[in-house]
Amino acid sequence: EQFFGIVALEELTQRRLSDLVGSTLSAWRLLQRFDPAQPQVHVFNPDYEKHGWQSTHAAVEILHADIPFLVDSVRMELSRRGYSIHTLQNSVFRVRRNAKGELLELYPRGTDQPGLQVESLMFLEIDRCASAAAQRNLEKALQEVLGEVRLAVADFEPIKGKAQALLASMQKSKAKSKAQDAAAQDEIQGFLAWLLDN
């Protein structure tokens, strides 16, 4: 229910049951062990012999601590590289793990308990990758993009704090030498206030 929660029923009924089962089991295996410091990105061409299911598309599985901008950033990178997205699922799970990162329990959507990790599991089907090297290159590119997202999200609060301090400093400063300067100061203050109001 959680894994397919955002997928339209029409889309599900157009996919083969064996593919749905295969993608679900593959995602379940990915969830079994996870270190949030090392997000997982797996790109592969599903093959019945290797994976127990098959598809005419390549599969992309991503397990990452849940933070803003993950899905859009992955979509933009895939688009930039010329891949069409045929299926996109993003499930946010609340889980409890042991010290080794092994999955102990998966909680229903909306559960709010101390000690739970919130993780984003993305499953995409994209144009088939031509080779194993293309798969590894795409994994590396997606890891780099996700690293940039983590940096941006981590910088958000410090940057917001700097903007608040600058706005407070400008509001305290009453010395305005020229009317033009005053108008510019008002415009800057208005812009900072607008940014801080999201």
Side-chain angles (χ1 to χ4, degrees):
E1 182 182 351
Q2 291 187 56
F3 184 57
F4 292 108
I6 67 163
V7 183
L9 184 58
E10 292 172 13
E11 183 181 333
L12 286 176
T13 56
Q14 290 174 5
R15 292 166 67 188
R16 291 188 316 204
L17 184 58
S18 59
D19 291 354
L20 295 174
V21 170
S23 64
T24 304
L25 290 174
S26 184
W28 180 246
R29 284 191 290 268
L30 191 67
L31 276 169
Q32 294 310 300
R33 178 172 283 190
F34 179 57
D35 175 1
Q38 297 178 335
Q40 296 183 40
V41 177
H42 187 209
V43 178
F44 61 102
N45 291 330
D47 174 70
Y48 196 80
E49 301 277 325
K50 264 186 177 177
H51 307 104
W53 65 290
Q54 60 190 22
S55 175
T56 56
H57 302 128
V60 179
E61 296 174 328
I62 298 172
L63 184 59
H64 197 289
D66 188 45
I67 59 174
F69 313 118
L70 291 176
V71 175
D72 286 338
S73 299
V74 167
R75 288 173 59 188
M76 286 189 292
E77 182 62 16
L78 290 170
S79 176
R80 189 179 78 76
R81 292 177 165 271
Y83 289 100
S84 295
I85 298 172
H86 303 281
T87 298
L88 170 61
Q89 296 168 223
N90 179 47
S91 306
V92 177
F93 294 107
R94 283 164 175 73
V95 302
R96 189 176 311 281
R97 295 186 180 277
N98 65 17
K100 294 178 182 177
E102 296 168 334
L103 182 66
L104 299 176
E105 200 164 354
L106 181 66
Y107 289 83
R109 188 183 309 268
T111 302
D112 191 21
Q113 291 182 15
L116 296 187
Q117 290 177 218
V118 183
E119 300 170 356
S120 174
L121 174 64
M122 280 182 263
F123 174 80
L124 302 97
E125 286 188 23
I126 62 171
D127 296 336
R128 202 158 177 87
C129 289
S131 65
Q135 294 168 18
R136 300 298 78 79
N137 287 341
L138 184 54
E139 284 178 354
K140 184 179 176 194
L142 291 171
Q143 283 282 14
E144 288 172 4
V145 165
L146 294 171
E148 292 169 4
V149 172
R150 289 191 297 278
L151 285 174
V153 170
D155 276 352
F156 179 73
E157 288 303 324
I159 289 172
K160 188 174 176 182
K162 292 279 188 186
Q164 286 169 329
L166 179 59
L167 181 59
S169 170
M170 291 179 76
Q171 289 170 338
K172 285 180 186 174
S173 172
K174 300 290 183 192
K176 295 178 182 175
S177 57
K178 299 179 182 173
Q180 280 182 334
D181 194 34
Q185 292 276 331
D186 288 344
E187 188 175 348
I188 292 168
Q189 288 180 36
F191 178 67
L192 287 173
W194 177 78
L195 285 175
L196 291 166
D197 192 36
N198 291 322

